[in-house]
Amino acid sequence: MDPLSSLLSGIRAEGSVVCHAVLAAPWTIRFADAAPLVMISVLRGGGTLLLPDGTERAIGAGDTAIVRGPEPFHLVDHPTTVHGSHAAYEIACFTESAECTAQELGGIHWGVDSEEATALIVGAYRASGHRHERLLRALPPVLVVEEDAEVCAWLETAATDAAQHSAGSQALMDRLLDWALVCTLRSWFGKAGADAPSWYRGLADPVLAPALQSFHDRPAAPWTVASLAARAGVSRALFAKRFTLLMGRPPLAYLTECRMDEAEVLLSDTDLGIAEIARSVGYADAFGFSAAFKRLKGLSPSSYRATTAGPTAADRWLHPQGRKPAGTTRRP
């Protein structure tokens, strides 16, 4: 499995309800679910994202924004709207007191549908265990990708069809969100340049790509610099130099980091014994694995497992869904 597919395997749509919002200005939406990721596709009109750190990011028709959680944030028609009278909405289906149901959410339109209104498709993603944390570390607080106009039209049509609750509509909504997330992240990584994670830049390099793919296909294999260089078809010295230059650390340091990241997930999300985890990430014995894990992560495997025991906020998510407005209010 390639690195991006591995990261995305920890976060996906299951039992989702697509929220298709059509809003007439002035309006605000507060996202209060503590979602690991929220995806907003602007079909018509536009608005401004107001992030917890004070960042403002304008998004317009054809833009898809992915916002990294879990802090609440706002999407508004204009930054000054929050200080005046406006229609206020909230998406908070995953809090313990939420009363959202799939039936009442299907096909919801907020506000008035008109040519001047802003049309959005909003999807929130649940996390499956701790694997998603590696994906979040690879992303900025918000990323925006411009979509083709035909893609936006298709998204709006698909969301409208899915909301009719006909046969297969649930699967359609789930796959709609997953497809959009994968496409958006691939587009962003491809355009991010130096801001893209090192593993993504490496996969685009003709020398490193075969070696990286081989390692990620079989991370537990007894890889050496020589065996990886052979996969790349270059000398050991050339491979090590190029790898360090493009990836920011030597090949074996990268292999160890990847293996320990995978070990973190297995310690947090499975009941496998330490020896079993050691073998699954390429170590012949638990002692060598434990020493490497503590050196890189600062805790022994057993101590790390103890610190991550119990449900997290992400684990309490049942399924991603949009929410009908908690009530349209007018603020003075």
Side-chain angles (χ1 to χ4, degrees), residues 266-300:
L266 295 175
L267 287 166
S268 302
D269 299 342
T270 75
D271 294 325
L272 293 175
I274 303 300
E276 292 176 281
I277 293 176
R279 288 191 295 271
S280 71
V281 296
Y283 285 79
D285 60 79
F287 179 79
F289 162 69
S290 296
F293 189 91
K294 186 173 183 178
R295 183 171 62 251
L296 199 64
K297 301 297 183 179
L299 292 172
S300 68

Side-chain angles (χ1 to χ4, degrees), residues 200-267:
Y200 191 88
R201 300 196 304 271
L203 288 172
D205 182 76
V207 173
L208 300 189
L212 285 170
Q213 190 64 61
S214 296
F215 166 68
H216 285 285
D217 283 344
R218 295 189 297 132
W223 296 108
T224 63
V225 176
S227 63
L228 289 170
R231 291 284 182 174
V234 297
S235 70
R236 181 182 182 278
L238 176 59
F239 177 79
K241 182 178 180 180
R242 189 176 184 88
F243 193 102
T244 304
L245 177 65
L246 292 181
M247 304 290 286
R249 61 275 215 197
L252 295 186
Y254 174 81
L255 265 61
T256 300
E257 288 177 16
C258 291
R259 286 167 170 164
M260 295 305 105
D261 284 345
E262 180 63 22
E264 277 188 328
V265 174
L266 295 175
L267 287 166

